[in-house]
């Protein structure tokens, strides 16, 4: 649990004064850790991160919390979906306050290049980019 908390803190903790950079996007190694969570471990981590200024817990209609992390030009919500207490897919929703083609391109290229174990679908809307990530079988 502690390792997971430290890892997520390093990955997702972007302050309001920083813009998002390539190394702040979720990598395949990060996804490996995210997909190894169960509901209890995930919710405990989100409750911990909710105490950080740059992150907040987002309620959901069921028992699973989502994690929202803020950066200078917007935010990203991490939404894991579970099947039998295991992560089955993850949605990342980047909400952009100001349209920035360079940021859109950075996000799109990064998640389109995930190849090894993950299948992605990137949906680019005007103020939101949604990345659907599944483990490829």
């Amino acid at each position: 649990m502690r390792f997971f908390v430290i890892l997520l803190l390093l990955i997702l903790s972007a302050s309001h004064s920083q813009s998002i950079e390539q190394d702040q996007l979720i990598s395949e190694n990060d996804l490996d850790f995210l997909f190894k969570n169960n509901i209890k471990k995930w919710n405990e981590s989100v409750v911990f991160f909710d105490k950080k200024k740059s992150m907040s817990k987002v309620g959901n209609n069921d028992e699973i919390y989502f994690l929202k992390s803020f950066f200078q030009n917007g935010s990203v919500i991490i939404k894991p979906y579970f099947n039998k207490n295991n992560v089955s897919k993850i949605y990342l929703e980047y909400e952009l306050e100001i349209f920035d083609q360079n940021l859109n391109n950075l996000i799109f290229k990064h998640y389109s290049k995930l190849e090894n174990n993950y299948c992605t679908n990137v949906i680019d809307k005007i103020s939101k980019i949604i990345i659907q990530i599944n483990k490829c079988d």
Side-chain angles (χ1 to χ4, degrees), residues 1 5 7-8 11 13 28-29 33-34 44 49 58-59 61 63-64 73 85 97-98 103 106 110 126 134:
M1 170 72 175
V5 170
L7 177 68
L8 271 180
I11 297 166
S13 183
E28 287 189 50
N29 288 335
F33 288 106
L34 289 172
E44 287 173 353
F49 286 125
V58 178
N61 290 337
E63 72 230 26
I64 301 163
N73 192 18
N85 204 31
E97 294 173 2
I98 301 169
L103 180 56
L106 175 75
H110 176 78
I126 291 177
N134 299 343

Side-chain angles (χ1 to χ4, degrees), residues 54-108:
S54 63
M55 298 183 190
S56 68
K57 174 179 69 170
V58 178
N60 190 3
N61 290 337
D62 56 18
E63 72 230 26
I64 301 163
Y65 299 127
F66 298 150
L67 180 64
K68 187 172 191 173
S69 179
F70 301 93
F71 54 91
Q72 183 179 7
N73 192 18
S75 63
V76 60
I77 300 174
I78 302 170
K79 298 178 171 184
Y81 291 89
F82 292 84
N83 182 12
K84 298 181 183 176
N85 204 31
N86 295 314
V87 176
S88 61
K89 61 185 170 183
I90 297 173
Y91 282 26
L92 305 174
E93 288 189 12
Y94 286 86
E95 297 175 337
L96 307 176
E97 294 173 2
I98 301 169
F99 178 79
D100 180 347
Q101 189 62 50
N102 291 331
L103 180 56
N104 280 26
N105 291 343
L106 175 75
I107 293 170
F108 183 81

